[in-house]
Amino acid sequence: MSDTPMSVPGLCDDPAMLDEWYPVARSREIVAGTIAPTTLLGRDLIVWRDAAGTVHVWDDLCIHRGARLSKGWIKDDTVVCPYHGWRFDGQARCVHIPVAPDQPIPPKARAFPVRAQEQDGLIWATLGNPAHPIPAFPARDLPGFRTFHAGPYTYRANGFRAVENFVDATHFPFVHAGLNGVPDAPDIIADYDVTQTADGLVSSEISVFQPVGDFRKIPVQAGYTYYCLRPLVAAFSKRVTIVDPAQAHLGSPDDRFVTMFTVQPVNEVTSIARVIFAINFAPDLTELDMLPRQDVVYNQDRDIVETQRPERIPVDLRAEMHHRSDRMGVAYRRWLRELGITYGVIA
Ligand code: FES
Ligand SMILES: [Fe+2]
């Protein structure tokens, strides 16, 4: 963890959470010449891009008198503090103190960077030393898939609650009525398995009927395989089979809709979800054709997840109540507990 002069109550001190990568912005949002504020695990940060294209994530704090660098600006490829105009370069060194431009600058005059990396169109940052690489978008190297982004969606809710919702196929008829399920004819969910691997959790396929299961706006039988890749990164691969034989020509038996759901834990009860998705069908559909459906679905999820109490997810399986159809959620909670996570959970 990079050293910081801050001592702020509520900052995360859970190594299991600090030693993870989290998205903090979408790559294309951060253009050279601008500074974006954000918060990760309670810690206020700035995200900026230098003229060479490298992204930097620093504490949102000037070492001189503690002003917020996010209120500053970029000049000559340096971050200018808005209070007394000190400037910090891409190495996080102070390179200019306006009241004494010709005097040597003390080495202690610097910004506080955290590790940052771009992958799959997102800027990821970590406050610790992750043992795992950033999880790859599962469809990245699959031939024939087109990839898109949706969100960000801000949930006034716990990130683990948001991920558990993402890997839950039994809420579709009620939360996504008319899209991913039918409230008057909810699917009976057959038993499925969840396996724990070195890469997290994976379910066997869960089959559900969806009246508008993808962007073609036609009924499909959908087969979900869920993955928990990291504590706040999950994915599904969904096989979509057109139900009406008269419309079957609109697709093929190999049609798939792959989604990765990532959460930036702003704090224990505020989360920013970003979604990467890819399809290998309907080549005529554009991002603009698809985003409205994504926005509807994730806003519906957000609305229900924001109601959940207690806000922090209980990882003691004696809390709340589990049905056999909740096998993925149960495995997820058990996994969080095994990982030793304390931040954002009720032990
Ligand atoms: S507080 Fe940043 S330059 Fe003084
Ligand atoms: Fe949902």
PDB file of all heavy atoms in Angstrom, residues 165 171-172 175-176 297 301, ligand 2:
ATOM      1  N   ASN A 165     -26.652 -10.316  -6.420  1.00  0.00           N
ATOM      2  CA  ASN A 165     -27.819 -10.105  -7.285  1.00  0.00           C
ATOM      3  C   ASN A 165     -27.495 -10.478  -8.730  1.00  0.00           C
ATOM      4  O   ASN A 165     -28.304 -11.100  -9.432  1.00  0.00           O
ATOM      5  CB  ASN A 165     -28.255  -8.638  -7.186  1.00  0.00           C
ATOM      6  CG  ASN A 165     -29.162  -8.207  -8.327  1.00  0.00           C
ATOM      7  OD1 ASN A 165     -28.696  -7.646  -9.320  1.00  0.00           O
ATOM      8  ND2 ASN A 165     -30.441  -8.469  -8.204  1.00  0.00           N
ATOM      9  N   HIS A 171     -34.459 -14.052  -9.541  1.00  0.00           N
ATOM     10  CA  HIS A 171     -35.206 -12.795  -9.383  1.00  0.00           C
ATOM     11  C   HIS A 171     -35.757 -12.280 -10.710  1.00  0.00           C
ATOM     12  O   HIS A 171     -36.530 -11.323 -10.736  1.00  0.00           O
ATOM     13  CB  HIS A 171     -34.318 -11.717  -8.737  1.00  0.00           C
ATOM     14  CG  HIS A 171     -33.225 -11.189  -9.623  1.00  0.00           C
ATOM     15  ND1 HIS A 171     -32.005 -11.799  -9.776  1.00  0.00           N
ATOM     16  CD2 HIS A 171     -33.171 -10.084 -10.420  1.00  0.00           C
ATOM     17  CE1 HIS A 171     -31.248 -11.095 -10.605  1.00  0.00           C
ATOM     18  NE2 HIS A 171     -31.925 -10.060 -11.026  1.00  0.00           N
ATOM     19  N   PHE A 172     -35.378 -12.910 -11.808  1.00  0.00           N
ATOM     20  CA  PHE A 172     -35.738 -12.368 -13.131  1.00  0.00           C
ATOM     21  C   PHE A 172     -37.234 -12.103 -13.310  1.00  0.00           C
ATOM     22  O   PHE A 172     -37.623 -11.032 -13.777  1.00  0.00           O
ATOM     23  CB  PHE A 172     -35.268 -13.316 -14.242  1.00  0.00           C
ATOM     24  CG  PHE A 172     -33.777 -13.458 -14.372  1.00  0.00           C
ATOM     25  CD1 PHE A 172     -33.246 -14.597 -14.966  1.00  0.00           C
ATOM     26  CD2 PHE A 172     -32.904 -12.478 -13.931  1.00  0.00           C
ATOM     27  CE1 PHE A 172     -31.875 -14.749 -15.120  1.00  0.00           C
ATOM     28  CE2 PHE A 172     -31.529 -12.625 -14.073  1.00  0.00           C
ATOM     29  CZ  PHE A 172     -31.016 -13.769 -14.674  1.00  0.00           C
ATOM     30  N   VAL A 175     -38.093  -8.908 -10.742  1.00  0.00           N
ATOM     31  CA  VAL A 175     -37.365  -7.635 -10.880  1.00  0.00           C
ATOM     32  C   VAL A 175     -37.322  -7.200 -12.347  1.00  0.00           C
ATOM     33  O   VAL A 175     -37.345  -6.009 -12.648  1.00  0.00           O
ATOM     34  CB  VAL A 175     -35.949  -7.776 -10.284  1.00  0.00           C
ATOM     35  CG1 VAL A 175     -35.127  -6.515 -10.533  1.00  0.00           C
ATOM     36  CG2 VAL A 175     -36.034  -8.056  -8.784  1.00  0.00           C
ATOM     37  N   HIS A 176     -37.264  -8.167 -13.252  1.00  0.00           N
ATOM     38  CA  HIS A 176     -37.168  -7.842 -14.683  1.00  0.00           C
ATOM     39  C   HIS A 176     -38.393  -8.394 -15.425  1.00  0.00           C
ATOM     40  O   HIS A 176     -38.271  -9.005 -16.491  1.00  0.00           O
ATOM     41  CB  HIS A 176     -35.885  -8.421 -15.276  1.00  0.00           C
ATOM     42  CG  HIS A 176     -34.646  -8.081 -14.500  1.00  0.00           C
ATOM     43  ND1 HIS A 176     -34.223  -6.787 -14.313  1.00  0.00           N
ATOM     44  CD2 HIS A 176     -33.748  -8.863 -13.850  1.00  0.00           C
ATOM     45  CE1 HIS A 176     -33.106  -6.789 -13.581  1.00  0.00           C
ATOM     46  NE2 HIS A 176     -32.803  -8.034 -13.284  1.00  0.00           N
ATOM     47  N   VAL A 297     -32.380  -2.839 -17.182  1.00  0.00           N
ATOM     48  CA  VAL A 297     -32.144  -4.026 -16.349  1.00  0.00           C
ATOM     49  C   VAL A 297     -31.309  -3.673 -15.117  1.00  0.00           C
ATOM     50  O   VAL A 297     -31.658  -4.040 -13.986  1.00  0.00           O
ATOM     51  CB  VAL A 297     -31.459  -5.131 -17.187  1.00  0.00           C
ATOM     52  CG1 VAL A 297     -30.924  -6.241 -16.283  1.00  0.00           C
ATOM     53  CG2 VAL A 297     -32.441  -5.695 -18.204  1.00  0.00           C
ATOM     54  N   ASP A 301     -32.222  -3.745 -11.102  1.00  0.00           N
ATOM     55  CA  ASP A 301     -31.423  -4.437 -10.081  1.00  0.00           C
ATOM     56  C   ASP A 301     -31.038  -3.481  -8.958  1.00  0.00           C
ATOM     57  O   ASP A 301     -31.150  -3.800  -7.776  1.00  0.00           O
ATOM     58  CB  ASP A 301     -30.153  -5.023 -10.709  1.00  0.00           C
ATOM     59  CG  ASP A 301     -30.434  -6.285 -11.498  1.00  0.00           C
ATOM     60  OD1 ASP A 301     -31.312  -7.059 -11.082  1.00  0.00           O
ATOM     61  OD2 ASP A 301     -29.771  -6.496 -12.530  1.00  0.00           O
TER      62      ASP A 301
HETATM   63 FE    FE B   2     -31.105  -8.648 -12.293  1.00  0.00          FE
END
